[in-house]
């Protein structure tokens, strides 16, 4: 603040900011100093003037670059000069140096993984095929030395290219997770604080009304500082990756977090070639499409052996499914006794999407992802389930008499006595004894936070 107690007008009022290091060196170039704000100052002909008896307020916004504190917190001193003309005399007043501490800056790198194939109803058939949940995942890595606080990502609705019928595709978000914690289903994921050198993984589980190729989406990125402002974006890079499958790297790679099998290099068959681990590291994946089956499975011979020449390291095997969809695969075991988790590192599909708006190819395929494979697997099958005529049972856990406005709701269900199992839950809510309305639809979760009200 500058208070003009003289009888003269202070003309040519200006102020300069100088930042010095502890050795007294001028390091202003490490900082961005936004144009100063001047209150109660009269500007005429490009010159600032402060009338007699008036008080001016001058403010700056100083933004340090990442080079100001690349590794550890560093103390700097902010000073400068206040200059003006008083009765035609030039006056320069040095500003008292004020210490500030600059902390290392977070540097956020975002990787999006969108599942390529979305299995749902085929509009070319009379039968209504079930909608299978598919994944949209994001990994945010902090490669800086400072922690990033209050990070959240808001994703837009995905788009699907389905077929030449031009039918609209309806999406539903049935689950949202951040580091394994279930959140209320929403396309906004609150990632929270990301410490220096670490990463956070969020994922959305969605369903679609029609099958197709998951091809496009957009997202907004926001980082709020401790004052609630977003003056400086800390997101340095955003990359998009076509995910074939959300998998689980086992053995020495196991950390309880999801990993991502990706088609990084375009090829005619859209085969995966890269495995992104949960820590951001990548491993090459070799694709193999040939295997030897000793005997085909049948209702009376439900255990068979499959062999393939798989190279060392990560390998992906895609071959015709031995039962051609007539039996249900229940186990894949290597010759050394290790098992591949079903629906994660071992899965089957009944159609192959070829894109370009064309109908998918109806074919039953077996997919395996393995590391340092023995090349020999035992496949165990079961008979397809009998028609399910028994209704499942479900219940919502009792709520306490009083709770906070936002509270956790838990529910469970079972499909015993020969049922086909539970695919999802529809959860309804009633407020003040009013009618029940849908809250969560087709969710595989067993609990979620409910945004209630007083």
């Amino acid at each position: 603040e500058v208070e003009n107690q003289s009888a003269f007008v202070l003309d040519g009022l200006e102020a300069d900011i100088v930042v010095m290091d502890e050795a007294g060196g001028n390091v202003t170039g490490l900082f961005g100093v936004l144009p100063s704000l001047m209150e109660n100052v009269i500007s005429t002909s490009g010159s600032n003037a402060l009338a007699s008896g008036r008080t001016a307020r001058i403010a700056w916004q100083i933004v340090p670059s990442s080079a100001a504190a690349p590794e550890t917190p560093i103390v700097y001193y902010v000073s400068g000069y206040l200059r003006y003309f008083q009765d035609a005399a030039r006056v320069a007043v040095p500003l008292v140096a004020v210490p500030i501490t600059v902390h290392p800056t977070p540097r956020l790198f975002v990787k999006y993984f969108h599942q390529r194939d979305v299995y749902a109803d085929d509009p070319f058939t009379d039968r209504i095929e079930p909608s299978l949940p598919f994944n949209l995942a994001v990994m945010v890595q902090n490669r800086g030395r400072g922690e990033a606080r209050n990070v959240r990502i808001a994703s837009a609705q995905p788009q699907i290219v389905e077929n030449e019928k031009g039918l609209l595709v309806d999406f539903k978000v049935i689950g949202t997770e951040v580091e394994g914690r279930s959140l209320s289903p929403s396309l906004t994921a609150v990632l929270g604080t990301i410490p220096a050198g670490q990463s956070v993984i969020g994922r959305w589980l969605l369903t679609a009304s029609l099958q197709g190729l998951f091809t496009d989406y957009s997202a907004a990125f926001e980082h709020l500082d401790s004052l609630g402002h977003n003056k400086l974006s800390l997101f340095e890079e955003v990359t998009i990756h076509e995910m074939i499958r959300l998998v689980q790297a086992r053995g020495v790679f196991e950390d309880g977090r999801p990993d991502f099998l990706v088609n990084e290099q375009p090829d005619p068959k859209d085969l995966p070639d890269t495995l992104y681990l949960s820590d951001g590291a990548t491993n090459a994946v070799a694709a193999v499409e040939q295997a030897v089956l000793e005997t085909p499975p049948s209702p009376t011979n439900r255990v068979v052996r499959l062999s393939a020449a798989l190279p060392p390291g990560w390998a992906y095997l895609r071959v015709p499914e031995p039962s051609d969809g007539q039996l249900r695969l229940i186990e894949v075991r290597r010759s050394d006794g290790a098992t591949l988790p079903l629906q994660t590192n071992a899965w089957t599909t009944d159609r192959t999407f070829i894109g370009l708006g064309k109908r998918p190819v109806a074919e039953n395929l077996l997919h395996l992802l393995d590391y340092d494979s023995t090349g020999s697997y035992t496949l165990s099958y079961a008979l397809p389930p009998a028609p399910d005529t028994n209704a499942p049972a479900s219940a919502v856990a009792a709520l306490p008499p009083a709770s906070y406005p936002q509270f956790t709701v838990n529910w469970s269900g079972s499909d015993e006595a020969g049922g086909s199992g539970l695919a999802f839950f529809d959860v309804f809510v009633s407020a003040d004894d009013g009618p029940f309305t849908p809250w969560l639809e087709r969710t595989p979760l067993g609990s979620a936070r409910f945004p209630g009200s007083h």
Side-chain angles (χ1 to χ4, degrees), residues 379-419:
L379 309 181
S380 299
Y381 287 88
L383 296 174
D388 185 5
T389 59
N390 299 313
S394 61
V396 176
L399 297 174
S403 62
Y404 292 101
Q406 291 193 1
F407 52 89
T408 299
V409 180
N410 298 283
W411 57 87
S412 60
S414 63
D415 190 25
E416 300 176 352

Side-chain angles (χ1 to χ4, degrees), residues 433-452:
D433 295 323
F436 278 92
T437 58
W439 172 38
L440 303 177
E441 297 182 86
R442 304 180 69 87
T443 176
L445 303 176
S447 65
R449 296 281 292 175
F450 182 78

Side-chain angles (χ1 to χ4, degrees), residues 316-339:
Y316 165 78
L317 176 66
R318 187 176 82 169
V319 294
E321 195 272 299
S323 79
D324 198 24
Q326 301 304 304
L327 300 174
R328 180 165 53 94
L329 183 65
I330 60 174
E331 185 182 68
V332 177
R333 183 178 295 274
R334 295 195 335 182
S335 57
D336 61 0
T339 59

Side-chain angles (χ1 to χ4, degrees), residues 354-386:
I354 57 178
L356 303 176
K358 296 182 179 180
R359 186 177 182 180
V361 177
E363 58 181 352
N364 290 289
L365 296 178
L366 171 67
H367 309 259
L368 302 180
L369 175 69
D370 202 0
Y371 181 75
D372 282 349
S373 171
T374 61
S376 179
Y377 300 89
T378 298
L379 309 181
S380 299
Y381 287 88
L383 296 174

Side-chain angles (χ1 to χ4, degrees), residues 18-333:
V18 176
V19 183
M20 298 177 295
D21 58 21
E22 291 191 305
N26 189 329
V27 292
T28 309
L30 295 177
F31 296 80
V33 181
L34 301 188
S36 57
L37 170 68
M38 292 191 176
E39 296 179 353
N40 295 330
V41 175
I42 301 174
S43 296
T44 57
S45 301
S47 178
N48 298 316
L50 179 60
S52 175
R54 300 282 288 176
T55 299
R57 179 176 176 268
I58 307 175
W60 298 267
Q61 187 177 68
I62 306 172
V63 182
S65 68
S66 58
E71 301 289 338
T72 59
I74 297 179
V75 176
Y76 293 95
Y77 297 88
V78 179
S79 63
Y81 293 91
L82 178 68
R83 299 183 177 90
Y84 55 89
F85 289 93
Q86 182 177 12
D87 194 19
R90 184 62 167 170
V91 179
V93 180
L95 303 178
V96 177
V98 177
I100 61 170
T101 301
V102 178
H103 294 269
T105 302
R107 299 172 59 233
L108 302 183
F109 292 75
V110 180
K111 292 181 175 63
Y112 256 109
F113 302 92
H114 64 84
Q115 185 169 316
R116 178 185 184 272
D117 299 333
V118 177
Y119 294 89
D121 182 42
D122 184 350
F124 288 97
T125 64
D126 295 331
R127 183 172 69 93
I128 298 179
E129 290 82 4
S131 296
L132 303 181
F134 65 94
N135 288 283
L136 168 64
V138 65
M139 177 194 301
V140 182
Q141 297 173 281
N142 182 2
R143 300 181 189 173
R145 295 287 184 169
E147 69 176 16
R149 304 171 184 172
N150 305 325
V151 179
R152 64 174 176 262
I153 288 183
S155 294
Q157 284 279 14
Q159 298 177 10
I160 274 188
V161 175
E162 30 81 35
N163 51 68
E164 66 261 25
K165 287 195 173 184
L167 302 177
L168 295 177
V169 181
D170 180 37
F171 292 94
K172 291 183 180 179
V173 182
I174 61 176
T176 303
E177 287 185 0
V178 173
E179 290 297 319
R181 303 187 308 274
S182 296
L183 307 176
S184 296
S186 167
L187 282 172
T188 296
V190 180
L191 304 183
T193 297
I194 307 178
Q198 297 189 24
S199 64
V200 171
I201 294 176
R203 74 178 182 118
W204 296 269
L205 204 59
L206 303 97
T207 59
S209 58
L210 292 178
Q211 67 181 7
L213 302 181
F214 188 7
T215 61
D216 188 31
Y217 64 90
S218 61
F221 305 92
E222 185 173 14
H223 170 259
L224 303 180
D225 64 19
S226 58
L227 297 178
H229 298 300
N230 55 356
K231 298 183 295 289
L232 181 63
S233 173
L234 301 179
F235 291 92
E236 295 200 7
E237 181 184 76
V238 178
T239 55
I240 301 171
H241 306 273
E242 183 181 76
M243 180 172 65
I244 302 300
R245 194 78 173 180
L246 190 145
V247 296
Q248 197 77 42
R250 309 293 293 272
V252 297
F253 304 96
E254 181 64 74
D255 61 0
R257 307 168 77 198
D259 307 285
F260 313 97
L261 182 62
V262 168
N263 177 30
E264 203 82 306
Q265 302 297 328
D267 64 275
K269 295 186 177 181
D270 298 302
L271 297 174
D273 49 56
T274 306
L275 178 66
Y276 276 83
L277 299 175
S278 56
D279 61 1
T282 60
N283 283 250
V285 176
V288 177
E289 294 186 275
Q290 293 185 350
V292 177
L293 183 67
E294 289 187 355
T295 56
S298 67
T300 58
N301 178 34
R302 299 199 293 268
V303 179
V304 298
R305 188 177 300 278
L306 182 77
S307 300
L310 300 180
W314 287 104
Y316 165 78
L317 176 66
R318 187 176 82 169
V319 294
E321 195 272 299
S323 79
D324 198 24
Q326 301 304 304
L327 300 174
R328 180 165 53 94
L329 183 65
I330 60 174
E331 185 182 68
V332 177
R333 183 178 295 274

